[in-house]
Amino acid sequence: MICMKKTVSIILAACLALLHTPLALAEESDVIKVEVNAAKTSPFGAFEGWGTSLCWWAEAYGDLPEEERKVLSKAYFDLEEGLGLNFVRFNIGGGDDPTHTHLGTEGQAVPGWLNADGTYNKEADMNQLNFLLDAIEYGANIVECFSNSPPYTMTLSGCTAGGEDPNVNNIAPERFGEFAQYLARVVSILKNDYGVQVDTLEPMNEPNTNYWRAGGTQEGCHISPEDQSALILECAAALKAAGLDDVSVAASDETNTSNFLSYISKLTPQAVEALGRFNVHTYATENMEQLRDEIAKTGKKLFMSESDYNATAGVNAEYMGPALWFSQKITDDLRGLWANAWTIWQVAGVAFEGRESVGGYWHISQYNRETKELEKFKKYYAYGQFSKFIRQGDYLIDTDCPNILAAHNKESGKIALVVTNATAGDVDYSINLSSLGAVGNTAQAWRTSETQNIEMIAPVELNGKTLHVSVPQSTITTYVINPQQPQPLNGINISAGAGERSVFTGDTLQMTIQTEPENYAGEFIWSLCDENGNPTERASVDGNGLVLFSEDGNFIIKAALKTDASICDTYSVSAVGSGSIVNLICDCGGLAMAQRLNMDSTITQYSNTAYSAAKWKLEKKSGGWRIINLQSGKNLADENGLCVSGSEFLWTLGEKNGSFSLSKGDRYVDLYNWNTSEGAQIDMYSFTGSTNQYWSFRIAPQESAVEPIESLEPKLLTGELFYTAPWNSDVRGEMAFDKNFDTFFDTSDGSGGYIGLDLGEAPDPVTMVRYAPRFWYFSRMVGGVFQGAHEIDGEWTDLAVITHTPLNSVWSSLSFNNPQSFRFVRYKTPIEGYCNISEIEFYSAPYSITAEYDGALKVTIENRSQKLGAIAALCYGDGSVSLHELYAPECESVSATITPNEGHESAHIYVITHDAVAYRAYIKL
């Protein structure tokens, strides 16, 4: 069944009774005429969002109980309940000399990550991390790490507040590489240990100033313009060496636009090339246009990465004074710079009396620990007048009025106008929108004033393509116009996700057709044909555009305006039903669910949807849906973590706004920590309703590449358990083998404890191990070692060392480079690790087989134990076969290349060993 999407705003419907005719203006001469010029827009592309730094407020409040902390997080990062900020700047602290006491007490003492012995404390800055993870949970999707100062041990003064002479560098250039490695290591920890996708690294903050003096109240470091290029290149190299190719460097966060313009020419071409974008602060704004033009020449993006002040505007504006200044500040910055983002220094301050003064203040809110109340200043609502309505993907466009910021969404046609009136009287505007094409009939409006906080007011009718409004004194008003009718020259825009996406309703899979504008669905004449354009009886369409399918298949939807049937558009769609081969695409990031291409059954996400690992077959069964992986032929299952299983497993599918959830009982398929990168873990979690728990079907592409299907499964090794004395009877060794992430082993021997298995006589070779940490004690496993021995009191051989912090409630794995047949295997704790481990499993796999196809077929056998002979066969559709023999000596790998016979379009691959058909695949020749 195809359902036409008809979304009607409840708020808008409630306000229709208030709709009034174009504003009657008393005197034409009093009206300010405004031209909106859509052709003049940002040279940096689409707007990317609104942001905040996390220091210092996150340091000050990050230790709040979770329930209190979430109140703040929602207020800043959630779009429905708060501001919807989506850009977060995480401060990598230098960490001052612990004997120093001069840093401020409102969060300025940001912890460093580097210990005195050169190791890293991955839990050093949990206060800031708590808010970073909250921000991502509520929708933040751009993360930047920035530094105010290197660790004090790298500085010349031994102080992270600055140098003895604030006019010279406080770090020697020969230590730039060491500093860059420190920053890259912290970024790597955030990514690998906490699942945070960092986009940019900014290694300096307001570097070419004389603000940063030893003994000051905040971290800072002078870096001269002549030396900034070297630091940029060192950071780029450090990120690459750490495998962080998806993280770019940003620079240079100078304190004002004029300062940055004076020194940007001193950056070398190599440094500019290495940058992902430029950052600038706007504490002064001279020469904004010149700076904008210089940066545009480089082809890089531009973020306004920090600003705020304790200033006011307006005449007798009272508490609106700071809000009016703030609103005009945002307007001026973005009109002058056309930046891709605008960022407040920090959204919150530590509460104290007088902060709400009409004389102005830094921050937009304050939290009182005693009363547990978040006080939102009028500046908070001023920020929301922008952040809630001008969103990521919109384009800033020009107006000839300095008090109006305009944005346009090229796909939806939405227009947003933020009007600031800091004058002593009402201002009448006549805003010409002719340059924008279709603009619709009505503007919705929201206002902040002395008595209103982003309050929806009566909508305003347009007069053709002109918006007439009267804006009261001391107010900020946002007008949002969504097109109400299509342009005749462009016909009708019918969107079905490229004809490949479908959702779930009840017991039926369906395509969703969305008309733009959405509320036009009832005024279309709908018809439906088969793929050849002929009317079909396999489906019917009612007057509201509801299309009912009697069977699956490919169809063409036609829509014509009832008022003008010549304005018509068509769209090809495919109804996806039971038995279809589909990809499962996560709403968070758009990658496909896949069985990982190795011998475990881990479920991850993958971009290449042509592989069978990412293809799933749907089967409607009594009681739910069966989801079968084409690579393994096994079912998607929730058995001690999301995996594939040979047993039948039925899922419940639940609809939500064009997507669906997959659940079993009270657990839902969940993309871990919103990680949008290749290979990110997919597992099970309780329901949160976030985008990382919603999916869409997409018709799977035709097979066109080698598709590995490895039937050889690793063998789980079992034996008699042995371990050092537990801390108490509630944390016994058996709990590390009970397939339950909520239980764990804890030994009383904190630095010498171990847990292992006696595998008995003639054991299989040990080739890999899977493990998971005690919940929230993951750092205690770093440095732990897996060992093997022939005698329990004999010499132990190190097989692998844990070098990265494992994730909670998720399997991590290590393969052993020297597989041997040990009778005894064990995990030995690092110093003060107390052998904390939730789960452990040892495996043996005698060999693995992979294949690559690029005109010829390359088959590789990685042999881990006994001598191995195999036959690789290409089987063609006419029954002919190409054969190749392979022989792999013990503990060696061999490869063979097979050139397919000519005249065939496809073939199946089989690799046959002495004990099994170990590998099969399909290739398109």
Side-chain angles (χ1 to χ4, degrees):
M1 153 171 67
I2 290 184
C3 178
M4 316 316 299
K5 182 180 178 184
K6 301 193 324 183
T7 305
V8 179
S9 169
I10 296 174
I11 297 177
L12 178 58
C15 292
L16 286 178
L18 300 176
L19 189 65
H20 56 73
T21 57
L23 187 70
L25 301 174
E27 297 289 342
E28 184 68 24
S29 59
D30 295 333
V31 177
I32 297 176
K33 294 183 178 181
V34 179
E35 293 290 331
V36 176
N37 183 2
K40 186 177 180 182
T41 185
S42 171
F44 308 114
F47 190 66
E48 297 190 25
W50 307 93
T52 180
S53 164
L54 293 181
C55 75
W56 305 306
W57 67 273
E59 296 293 348
Y61 292 134
D63 63 340
L64 288 172
E66 182 178 7
E67 182 178 352
E68 292 183 53
R69 194 186 73 238
K70 294 283 189 179
V71 171
L72 277 69
S73 297
K74 283 187 177 181
Y76 306 134
F77 303 109
D78 185 85
L79 180 58
E80 296 299 323
E81 299 184 29
L83 299 176
L85 306 183
N86 67 303
F87 173 43
V88 185
R89 304 191 75 218
F90 181 90
N91 181 217
I92 300 176
D96 200 18
D97 185 328
T99 65
H100 292 190
T101 59
H102 50 77
L103 292 179
T105 59
E106 295 185 27
Q108 290 94 324
V110 182
W113 296 64
L114 188 62
N115 296 323
D117 61 359
T119 61
Y120 282 74
N121 181 358
K122 300 177 183 181
E123 299 178 358
D125 197 358
M126 291 307 300
N127 280 15
Q128 200 179 168
L129 264 171
N130 285 335
F131 275 111
L132 175 61
L133 297 176
D134 281 354
I136 295 171
E137 176 184 352
Y138 290 121
N141 57 6
I142 306 175
V143 177
E144 178 168 272
C145 290
F146 76 101
S147 169
N148 289 326
S149 171
Y152 76 95
T153 55
M154 298 181 193
T155 65
L156 297 176
S157 67
C159 178
T160 61
E164 298 297 338
D165 182 350
N167 295 290
V168 299
N169 292 0
N170 196 30
I171 177 174
E174 57 266 26
R175 302 198 72 176
F176 282 175
E178 181 184 358
F179 177 35
Q181 291 174 22
Y182 167 73
L183 297 176
R185 178 65 186 279
V186 176
V187 173
S188 182
I189 291 171
L190 291 175
K191 178 178 180 178
N192 296 323
D193 294 81
Y194 297 98
V196 176
Q197 179 58 52
V198 176
D199 298 279
T200 51
L201 170 65
E202 163 55 288
M204 45 195 151
N205 174 64
E206 300 183 354
N208 189 45
T209 63
N210 60 355
Y211 301 160
W212 317 122
R213 184 185 296 275
T217 59
Q218 65 184 83
E219 291 188 340
C221 182
H222 182 95
I223 299 175
S224 67
E226 293 77 9
D227 291 320
Q228 290 178 17
S229 292
L231 180 56
I232 291 169
L233 292 173
E234 289 286 1
C235 286
L239 291 171
K240 184 176 181 180
L244 298 167
D245 294 334
D246 54 351
V247 183
S248 60
V249 183
S252 293
D253 274 296
E254 295 291 359
T255 187
N256 60 60
T257 53
S258 182
N259 189 14
F260 196 16
L261 179 63
S262 300
Y263 295 105
I264 191 173
S265 61
K266 295 189 177 182
L267 294 176
T268 66
Q270 293 83 1
V272 172
E273 180 64 26
L275 289 175
R277 69 161 176 260
F278 287 98
N279 286 359
V280 68
H281 301 174
T282 57
Y283 290 108
T285 55
E286 295 84 0
N287 304 310
M288 276 199 296
E289 293 80 5
Q290 294 93 316
L291 177 62
R292 175 197 67 205
D293 294 343
E294 285 300 312
I295 292 177
K297 295 175 185 177
T298 70
K300 306 293 182 179
K301 294 182 179 180
L302 172 63
F303 273 32
M304 200 303 289
S305 53
E306 181 183 315
S307 197
D308 198 6
Y309 201 61
N310 57 334
T312 63
V315 179
N316 298 322
E318 298 296 323
Y319 291 99
M320 276 298 292
L324 293 170
W325 172 85
F326 191 58
S327 180
Q328 192 62 55
K329 169 66 174 170
I330 295 173
T331 301
D332 291 345
D333 284 356
L334 290 179
R335 283 174 53 83
L337 288 174
W338 295 109
N340 297 97
W342 197 95
T343 315
I344 190 173
W345 161 225
Q346 49 184 336
V347 288
V350 176
F352 63 84
E353 283 188 39
R355 177 84 76 173
E356 72 282 357
S357 164
V358 297
Y361 38 78
W362 290 75
H363 322 309
I364 59 175
S365 62
Q366 65 180 9
Y367 186 73
N368 191 313
R369 286 178 177 268
E370 295 182 1
T371 64
K372 299 182 179 181
E373 293 180 352
L374 176 63
E375 181 184 1
K376 301 172 182 176
F377 305 144
K378 283 294 180 180
K379 283 176 70 174
Y380 173 92
Y381 301 104
Y383 206 0
Q385 292 282 160
F386 294 85
S387 65
K388 293 176 74 67
F389 305 103
I390 298 177
R391 300 297 299 167
Q392 192 171 34
D394 294 348
Y395 284 77
L396 300 177
I397 56 176
D398 184 56
T399 76
D400 58 359
C401 178
N403 308 118
I404 299 178
L405 183 68
H408 178 233
N409 188 288
K410 295 181 179 180
E411 293 186 6
S412 68
K414 180 198 76 175
I415 305 158
L417 304 163
V418 185
V419 184
T420 305
N421 182 6
T423 69
D426 299 352
V427 178
D428 296 331
Y429 291 102
S430 176
I431 304 173
N432 184 0
L433 304 171
S434 298
S435 67
L436 288 161
V439 296
N441 302 317
T442 307
Q444 295 175 269
W446 289 262
R447 178 167 292 152
T448 293
S449 66
E450 188 68 27
T451 58
Q452 298 165 297
N453 295 322
I454 318 180
E455 180 179 313
M456 193 175 192
I457 60 176
V460 182
E461 282 189 0
L462 274 74
N463 182 3
K465 291 187 176 182
T466 302
L467 176 65
H468 297 287
V469 293
S470 182
V471 183
Q473 66 178 19
S474 301
T475 61
I476 307 163
T477 309
T478 304
Y479 298 95
V480 177
I481 307 163
N482 288 296
Q484 301 293 308
Q485 61 188 19
Q487 292 177 270
L489 293 178
N490 295 335
I492 304 161
N493 184 12
I494 305 175
S495 172
E500 296 180 338
R501 294 175 72 89
S502 63
V503 296
F504 174 84
T505 298
D507 291 331
T508 305
L509 292 174
Q510 66 179 37
M511 289 300 301
T512 296
I513 305 296
Q514 178 178 344
T515 60
E516 298 179 1
E518 295 170 348
N519 65 341
Y520 235 57
E523 299 182 22
F524 287 133
I525 301 172
W526 297 98
S527 59
L528 191 141
C529 307
D530 62 21
E531 57 267 38
N532 298 317
N534 301 318
T536 179
E537 296 181 357
R538 296 183 294 169
S540 59
V541 189
D542 67 14
N544 293 320
L546 184 66
V547 183
L548 305 175
F549 284 102
S550 58
E551 59 183 278
D552 302 336
N554 299 320
F555 303 90
I556 297 174
I557 295 288
K558 291 186 177 181
L561 280 175
K562 286 184 177 180
T563 55
D564 187 353
S566 65
I567 303 176
C568 181
D569 204 358
T570 62
Y571 212 97
S572 297
V573 298
S574 296
V576 181
S578 184
S580 298
I581 305 300
V582 299
N583 303 128
L584 301 176
I585 308 296
C586 186
D587 283 7
C588 178
L591 299 185
M593 181 190 301
Q595 178 181 343
R596 195 163 72 178
L597 299 178
N598 59 20
M599 289 186 300
D600 67 25
S601 297
T602 303
I603 303 299
T604 63
Q605 66 178 4
Y606 195 51
S607 60
N608 192 333
T609 56
Y611 280 0
S612 287
K615 294 180 182 179
W616 305 86
K617 182 178 180 180
L618 307 175
E619 284 190 2
K620 185 72 175 73
K621 309 283 284 186
S622 176
W625 287 82
R626 187 172 176 231
I627 303 175
I628 307 161
N629 186 263
L630 259 64
Q631 170 179 279
S632 61
K634 295 182 178 181
N635 297 282
L636 184 67
D638 175 18
E639 296 179 353
N640 300 312
L642 196 64
C643 61
V644 289
S645 169
S647 59
E648 184 173 281
F649 198 93
L650 299 182
W651 293 91
T652 299
L653 283 71
E655 181 191 17
K656 176 186 178 285
N657 296 333
S659 302
F660 59 87
S661 59
L662 290 171
S663 62
K664 182 68 174 179
D666 61 354
R667 289 170 61 80
Y668 287 72
V669 176
D670 179 287
L671 175 60
Y672 185 81
N673 209 20
W674 297 267
N675 191 336
T676 58
S677 60
E678 187 99 350
Q681 184 81 25
I682 300 173
D683 215 311
M684 301 294 293
Y685 197 72
S686 56
F687 183 69
T688 64
S690 299
T691 56
N692 64 321
Q693 291 187 334
Y694 282 100
W695 308 81
S696 294
F697 292 114
R698 189 169 73 190
I699 298 173
Q702 295 298 311
E703 297 167 296
S704 59
V706 174
E707 303 186 359
I709 307 176
E710 189 168 1
S711 60
L712 180 67
E713 293 287 342
K715 179 181 178 181
L716 176 63
L717 301 179
T718 59
E720 184 178 346
L721 183 62
F722 63 89
Y723 51 86
T724 50
W727 186 267
N728 56 50
S729 60
D730 294 330
V731 288
R732 304 180 311 278
E734 291 82 359
M735 293 179 176
F737 292 88
D738 62 1
K739 300 185 183 302
N740 184 350
F741 288 134
D742 294 328
T743 62
F744 59 91
F745 175 54
D746 189 356
T747 180
S748 57
D749 187 349
S751 299
Y754 54 81
I755 182 171
L757 293 175
D758 177 353
L759 302 178
E761 299 292 340
D764 291 314
V766 184
T767 60
M768 61 176 288
V769 65
R770 293 205 308 169
Y771 57 94
R774 175 185 176 185
F775 197 82
W776 286 121
Y777 286 79
F778 32 66
S779 63
R780 287 187 175 182
M781 292 198 74
V782 177
V785 60
F786 296 100
Q787 298 177 318
H790 300 294
E791 297 180 3
I792 196 166
D793 295 325
E795 182 178 353
W796 288 88
T797 300
D798 290 348
L799 303 176
V801 178
I802 300 175
T803 58
H804 294 86
T805 304
L807 298 176
N808 286 321
S809 303
V810 174
W811 286 109
S812 297
S813 63
L814 287 172
S815 295
F816 303 145
N817 295 326
N818 55 340
Q820 298 182 45
S821 296
F822 292 107
R823 173 168 179 169
F824 300 95
V825 290
R826 72 180 185 182
Y827 167 68
K828 185 178 180 182
T829 186
I831 296 174
E832 296 185 359
Y834 291 91
C835 211
N836 278 179
I837 189 166
S838 169
E839 289 297 311
I840 182 173
E841 294 179 345
F842 291 96
Y843 285 88
S844 175
Y847 55 86
S848 66
I849 301 175
T850 57
E852 300 174 66
Y853 179 73
D854 185 13
L857 176 69
K858 182 180 180 181
V859 177
T860 301
I861 297 178
E862 182 182 343
N863 190 21
R864 295 172 180 160
S865 56
Q866 76 275 19
K867 297 176 182 179
L868 178 68
I871 296 174
L874 280 177
C875 301
Y876 308 105
D878 61 1
S880 59
V881 178
S882 298
L883 297 176
H884 193 101
E885 294 186 18
L886 296 91
Y887 175 76
E890 184 177 352
C891 294
E892 292 186 20
S893 297
V894 297
S895 297
T897 300
I898 307 173
T899 301
N901 293 344
E902 295 182 359
H904 300 284
E905 294 183 354
S906 62
H908 284 83
I909 309 165
Y910 295 93
V911 179
I912 306 166
T913 68
H914 67 281
D915 59 353
V917 176
Y919 183 96
R920 66 187 186 276
Y922 169 87
I923 56 172
K924 193 87 170 176
L925 301 175

PDB file of all heavy atoms in Angstrom, residues 192 286 583 861:
ATOM      1  N   ASN A 192      37.171   6.354  19.865  1.00  0.00           N
ATOM      2  CA  ASN A 192      37.226   4.914  20.079  1.00  0.00           C
ATOM      3  C   ASN A 192      36.634   4.472  21.403  1.00  0.00           C
ATOM      4  O   ASN A 192      36.116   3.363  21.507  1.00  0.00           O
ATOM      5  CB  ASN A 192      38.677   4.425  19.989  1.00  0.00           C
ATOM      6  CG  ASN A 192      39.264   4.640  18.603  1.00  0.00           C
ATOM      7  OD1 ASN A 192      38.579   4.496  17.605  1.00  0.00           O
ATOM      8  ND2 ASN A 192      40.534   5.002  18.547  1.00  0.00           N
ATOM      9  N   GLU A 286      35.577  44.835  12.775  1.00  0.00           N
ATOM     10  CA  GLU A 286      36.029  45.642  11.651  1.00  0.00           C
ATOM     11  C   GLU A 286      36.495  44.720  10.510  1.00  0.00           C
ATOM     12  O   GLU A 286      37.004  43.638  10.739  1.00  0.00           O
ATOM     13  CB  GLU A 286      37.176  46.575  12.058  1.00  0.00           C
ATOM     14  CG  GLU A 286      36.801  47.633  13.075  1.00  0.00           C
ATOM     15  CD  GLU A 286      36.850  47.120  14.493  1.00  0.00           C
ATOM     16  OE1 GLU A 286      37.183  45.921  14.685  1.00  0.00           O
ATOM     17  OE2 GLU A 286      36.552  47.901  15.418  1.00  0.00           O
ATOM     18  N   ASN A 583      17.909  -3.386   1.711  1.00  0.00           N
ATOM     19  CA  ASN A 583      18.882  -2.886   2.679  1.00  0.00           C
ATOM     20  C   ASN A 583      18.100  -2.272   3.830  1.00  0.00           C
ATOM     21  O   ASN A 583      17.009  -1.740   3.638  1.00  0.00           O
ATOM     22  CB  ASN A 583      19.776  -1.810   2.066  1.00  0.00           C
ATOM     23  CG  ASN A 583      20.522  -2.282   0.835  1.00  0.00           C
ATOM     24  OD1 ASN A 583      20.468  -1.635  -0.193  1.00  0.00           O
ATOM     25  ND2 ASN A 583      21.205  -3.414   0.922  1.00  0.00           N
ATOM     26  N   ILE A 861      43.876 -17.747   1.122  1.00  0.00           N
ATOM     27  CA  ILE A 861      43.668 -18.586   2.295  1.00  0.00           C
ATOM     28  C   ILE A 861      44.661 -18.161   3.360  1.00  0.00           C
ATOM     29  O   ILE A 861      45.871 -18.139   3.125  1.00  0.00           O
ATOM     30  CB  ILE A 861      43.872 -20.090   1.970  1.00  0.00           C
ATOM     31  CG1 ILE A 861      42.839 -20.565   0.938  1.00  0.00           C
ATOM     32  CG2 ILE A 861      43.772 -20.922   3.237  1.00  0.00           C
ATOM     33  CD1 ILE A 861      43.005 -22.010   0.542  1.00  0.00           C
TER      34      ILE A 861
END
